[in-house]
Structures are given as C-alpha cells and as structure tokens.
Amino acid sequence: MRFQSCEAAFEVKHKDVLGRIGYLTTCRKRIETPTLLPVINPSKLVLTPKELDEKFGVRALITNAYLVKKRFGQEAIEKGIHRLLDFEGLVVTDSGAYQALRYGRIDMQQKEILDFQEAIHPDVGVILDVPTGNSDANQAKLTVEETIRRADEAVKLRRRKDIAWIGPIQGGTHLDLLGFSAREMSKRPYPILALGSPTVVMERYRYRTLVDMIVTTKMNIPPSRPLHLFGAGHPSMLSFAVALGCDLFDSAAYALFAYEDRYMTEDGTLKLENMEYLPCGCPTCTKSTASELKSLGPDERARRLASHNLWATLLEIKKIKQAICEGRLWELLERRSRAHPALLEAFRALGKYAGFLERHSPSNKSHGIFYYGIESIYRPEIVRFRKRLDRYTRGIAKPCTIVLFTQPWGQPSEAFMENAKAVAKRYLGPSYKDALTMAFVPPLGTVPMELLDVYPVGKIAISSDLDEETIYEAVKFSRKILAKIGHNLITITDGSPQAEKILKGRAWPGPKVTANLFKEDIEGYKQNTFERTREKISS
Ligand SMILES: [Zn+2]
C-alpha cells in the first residue's frame, strides 16, 4: 500500500489488524511509523531535543509554532526551527489550536501562524484548526465547518511546496460529524490526516469512545493516508490506537506526568510516593532507586521521571511493531486490555467493528493463534473463517449431517474415524455415504472435514477446559450453520469429558452417540428420537 503526493509519501511494509509499520517520507526526512513524537515546549525543556536524539534515538518531534513565535519570534525565523531546537530529525510544528482549547482564544489569525510556520520551515505543519473538545452537537458542527473553511483557506495561503501539511479532523464524540469531517478533509490536499480532540476523552478513561472515534475516522478516509492521533501517548493505550490504524502520535504526557510525580508503565500509571521499587529496565531506573528518586529536588526528579516515562512509551512502540511483524497484535491487545477495566471495555467494543476489522486486516497469515477468552472470537482470523464457513454451507443439500466431538478438537484419529463410520452406517444405513461429516472445533463451530486443513483450524491454541461463554458462542454458531443444512443430525463423541460437557444440556437436534475408541458404546441414545430422525431421512 502506498500514498504519494508532492509533499509526502507513505508506504506500508507490514500490517496486522489495521495496524501497520510504514515509512513516512517528506521532502527532506524519512521516518518509520508507528512513531511517537515527543512534544517539546521550547520555553520549558525538561529534556533537550539533542538528548532526545542522542540518548533516546528520537527521530521526530513536535513543537508549538504559536509558543515558538511568542518566545523566539525573529530569532526562530533567522535560524529556522531545526537549528533553533538543535535537532536534525523530522520536526512537526503544531499551530496553537490546542492552546486555544485549553486556555481560551489565542491572539493570532491563521495567516499569521501559517506564514510563521513557513518562515521557520518545519518538515510538517498543522493549520489553525478549531478543536471540538467537549462541545455539544451544535457547537461541534461549527468547529467542523470552521476547520474545513480554514483548511481551504490554508491551501490558498501556502507558498512553500516542501512542507507536508496535516489536515485535522474534528467532530469529537459526535460520530456523524466526525465522519463528515473525515470525508471532507480526505478530499483536500493534506498528505497526513489527524484525529483531533481525543485528549478530553482519554483523560476520563473513555477508551471505548476513543475506539468509536478512531474507527469512524478510518471508515471515512482512504486507508493509504497516514493518520495522526493528537495528544495520545500513554503506553497502556498505544497498542489499541495502532491496531485501529493510527500511525503517528504526539504527547506531552511523559513530561507533564513527570512534574506530577507520576511514573508511566504499559499497565497504567503509578504515583512515585507509593513506589518501593522502579519496575523497569531503562537506563534511568537501573541507575537509581525509588527512595533516591523521592529524595531529589523537584527539577532533577521531574527530569528523571520524564526520562523513564519516555523510555516506557518508546519501548511500548517497539513491542507493538514487533507484534505487528509476528502477526500477534491481537494477543498484545488481550494483555493490555487487562491493565484497566476501561481498556477491557474498549477491547470488547471491537466486537462491534469485527466485520470492518476483518475486511481490512491481512489474510496471508499462517502462524498459530492464542485463544484467551470470548473477546478473541472477534479477531479477524476467526471472523474470516466463519464467513467462509457460512458461504461453504450455503445451499448445501445433504440427507443428514454427522458431527464429531473429539479431543483434541477437530483432530479425529484414524481409529476413532473407523468406529464413527461403523456407528454412522448402522444408524443411517447406506445413506451414511452421502452425509456431510463435520467436526466440532471451538471456538469456530462445526467445520466440514474438507476444511480442517484451512487456516486457522488446527492452529488455534485453546485451553482444554473451555469456558461457558466460548461453548455458548461456538454452539450458537454451529446451530446457525446446521440449521441451513437441515436437522437430520447425529452427534458422535469420543466419550471424553470435554466432548460430553459440550453436548450435555445443549439442545443439539438428533441422537447423541458415543463411538469410543475401544468399543462401541451407545450412551444417552433414545430410540424414539432416532426413529423420528430415520423417518425424516427416508421420507
Ligand atoms: Zn524506567
């Protein structure tokens, strides 16, 4: 997948779920994504840009053009933003819209801030949009319309051809407005799109709403266009944002949290005052202890905490990238969803978008899947196989169906098959040859024998002691499939406790027969049920 405009190009190298590893190339710089741009406040440097480059390997950062103009003015124009910051990597300048959201109006017009950005020559610039924030629907509509008007105005004001401009998408939690804003911004010449206003949602742990916002945006923009998520940089939620298709992040959280003595981890945030240990292997944490940190003066303490927070965030980005390469991003989400109930809620909310995630996630996979629980039922590989099963069994005409329940699931041994065949023959007579034979494979459902070699059947590592929710979902889907074929069904089990558990108390139509590996052993067989089944078959 590749996007190319005159100011920037974006190329995707690896993909998993909607997450991707790609290269963003501007006129002068090239960076790998997903990446987090640390926010630099030029008047209050907790870590210098040079340190970010040399100690942390940061290749891209973001600073605020409004604050740079206020603080440095002409000096910034003379030096240019790279020399002013002493940073050779990719520099993004934000416009000051966020300051307007936080502190009310800012005293600059779009033309002034755009001209200034062109004068200091960043690699990527942002127009002066109007963040939706917490606005009600009427106000939100105005922010969307005004942002689009300014996007059009900015296109006319731009003079340079060597700055890639970000087109901000507003609308916030008003998803219809957000979708409209995303579609409109996609039509305009902005090589990078950005979802605005997520901070107000994240500060209240409304991650489920954030899922709705990101998916709505992705549904309304071209998949090849890189997407920036403004103001998101906590390691505990980055995997979700990446898995839903965000490529760039910026965050001041590493520094802001540090000033409040907060220590970031991928499992959440800890207060320094409650810490006895520093549970991290970064250079800062290996060189000091929790009590040493507590005893430092406020400036040095903030500096060390900011260093750790940034390490923790950058480390999480690396873990996410590695998970994408391995095709195990979903497994990472499973783990991160246990960091906070709000993240688990967000993870479960992915079920609502299972079809969309399946359509846009890669299909060329072959590795095994770890099934941890009911949320995994929505992962793209399982949704895709079930769609295939649904198509395969459409319009299929068979006199009867045999479903095999064996342990391990979906892997009947030759000895068992021999016994099962004998049992089926005895019950169905000569018509057993025309029966459709299926195996029960949780969590997928009943799978025809011909599809047992198809991915991901046989590649799902699942606990042998199935939980009730998984049984319920697998049986429900099986019944949907079996209902299409007809109800002339016999179920044959190997007599294992798990197989018995699945059949016990579930309303499977037709007789249940146990074809033991050692002897034919008919259990729970009701003559009248079978007679009725046979009558149906013969009629
Ligand atoms: Zn650390």
Side-chain angles (χ1 to χ4, degrees), residues 28 48 120 148 188 196 324 327 389 399 433 467 510 516 526:
R28 295 171 294 169
T48 67
I120 62 175
I148 292 168
R188 291 164 168 78
I324 291 175
L389 205 56
K433 288 202 302 296
D467 60 279
N516 202 289
K526 290 181 186 149

Side-chain angles (χ1 to χ4, degrees), residues 17 330 354 357-358 361-362 376 378-385:
V17 197
W330 192 274
L357 297 181
E358 184 274 316
S361 65
S376 299
Y378 303 119
R379 63 180 296 157
E381 298 89 339
I382 291 179
V383 172
R384 183 169 297 140
F385 183 81

Side-chain angles (χ1 to χ4, degrees), residues 354-456:
F356 180 73
L357 297 181
E358 184 274 316
R359 280 197 299 284
H360 294 276
S361 65
S363 53
N364 54 344
K365 285 192 169 184
S366 57
H367 67 83
I369 287 174
F370 293 150
Y371 180 91
Y372 293 113
I374 195 64
E375 294 88 9
S376 299
I377 212 114
Y378 303 119
R379 63 180 296 157
E381 298 89 339
I382 291 179
V383 172
R384 183 169 297 140
F385 183 81
R386 283 183 156 190
K387 273 170 79 175
R388 182 171 181 170
L389 205 56
D390 202 34
R391 280 197 305 273
Y392 187 88
T393 48
R394 198 173 294 161
I396 209 161
K398 294 285 182 183
C400 59
T401 313
I402 303 163
V403 182
L404 308 175
F405 291 76
T406 59
Q407 289 269 278
W409 300 113
Q411 295 170 42
S413 66
E414 270 183 40
F416 174 79
M417 284 305 288
E418 280 303 308
N419 276 343
K421 204 188 277 180
V423 169
K425 199 172 180 178
R426 191 142 60 80
Y427 282 78
L428 302 172
S431 70
Y432 93 95
K433 288 202 302 296
D434 302 320
L436 176 69
T437 306
M438 303 176 100
F440 183 73
V441 187
L444 300 169
T446 47
V447 179
M449 299 302 276
E450 304 88 282
L451 298 187
L452 287 184
D453 289 335
V454 172
Y455 184 80

Side-chain angles (χ1 to χ4, degrees), residues 263 278-286 307-309 311-312:
Y263 183 97
L278 301 177
C280 168
C282 82
T284 307
C285 296
T286 44
S307 297
H308 157 78
N309 287 344
W311 278 119

